[in-house]
Amino acid sequence: MNGELPYEVEIEILRGRAQNRHRVVAAPVYLIGAAADCDLVLADPRIPDVHTYLYVTPHGVSLRHLGFEPDLEIDGSTTEYAQLHDGQRFRLGQAYEFRIHIRSTSGRNDSKRILRLDTAHHRASAPNAEFGHETVYALLAEVRTRLRSEPTFRTGNRPASPPTIRQILLQSALVRARTSA
């Protein structure tokens, strides 16, 4: 993707406390949860550190629930995964509701047109999409395992702050890239 996302993606917060009701998705993986280093932080003890993530590829924008309470609902149906289209709503339990906005960033004159992504076409044309989700899911599982197994962090004789989820994800991704090369 050459560092640029194929779509302009924005999350509009419809229900839930927020100073800024519109959030730009500026990376291919956008984490939603209670951890301070998530892209969208939900300061709620009922929300796990990483609850859900958006995944932006040349083939579309998808949303993956990582299986923790509260449930993820998209257009009123509980789900674990969905290919999203512009204007679609999703909810995390009863407390949070969002609307996704997706616009093409192609070089054509109509670069601001709204996309209606066809899920069946996405599955047929992007057989590797699930591989990306599996990779991210495995990285997040590694993060959870490392955070549980490293209760004390020290630098010399003084305590240090634990690594952030983003730092662990980056480190795990680099290790995977080196071992697969």
Side-chain angles (χ1 to χ4, degrees):
M1 290 191 311
N2 300 334
E4 281 188 40
L5 296 180
Y7 307 105
E8 289 178 1
V9 181
E10 181 180 278
I11 296 175
E12 178 183 1
I13 301 169
L14 302 174
R15 184 181 309 150
R17 293 182 61 182
Q19 290 180 352
N20 180 3
R21 293 250 172 230
H22 295 268
R23 307 293 174 92
V24 173
V25 175
V29 177
Y30 187 88
L31 303 175
I32 302 172
D37 58 336
C38 281
D39 299 293
L40 178 55
V41 178
L42 305 175
D44 186 331
R46 298 170 293 182
I47 302 293
D49 284 349
V50 181
H51 180 276
T52 303
Y53 69 91
L54 282 167
Y55 189 52
V56 182
T57 71
H59 305 287
V61 179
S62 60
L63 186 68
R64 171 76 65 177
H65 177 230
L66 296 176
F68 303 107
E69 293 290 329
D71 288 337
L72 170 66
E73 290 183 20
I74 299 178
D75 292 336
S77 298
T78 301
T79 188
E80 297 294 315
Y81 168 83
Q83 185 70 25
L84 299 176
H85 62 271
D86 183 65
Q88 203 162 18
R89 292 176 178 228
F90 62 97
R91 290 173 40 167
L92 306 182
Q94 298 299 312
Y96 299 95
E97 184 172 4
F98 310 92
R99 180 181 297 129
I100 194 83
H101 298 280
I102 305 168
R103 293 169 187 86
S104 171
T105 58
S106 68
R108 295 179 284 163
N109 291 337
D110 61 346
S111 65
K112 297 294 182 194
R113 74 180 171 87
I114 302 298
L115 295 179
R116 296 276 178 202
L117 297 175
D118 178 2
T119 304
H121 171 72
H122 165 76
R123 286 192 186 120
S125 66
N128 296 353
E130 278 303 308
F131 173 76
H133 291 291
E134 291 170 5
T135 302
V136 171
Y137 189 75
L139 288 172
L140 290 171
E142 282 182 38
V143 168
R144 284 191 299 275
T145 301
R146 286 195 51 198
L147 287 174
R148 287 184 195 124
S149 67
E150 299 178 21
T152 306
F153 299 89
R154 295 199 165 276
T155 305
N157 290 330
R158 58 173 226 229
S161 56
T164 64
I165 290 173
R166 189 168 305 285
Q167 288 168 332
I168 294 172
L169 278 170
L170 180 59
Q171 183 182 33
S172 297
L174 290 173
V175 168
R176 284 177 185 260
R178 284 186 206 128
T179 57
S180 65

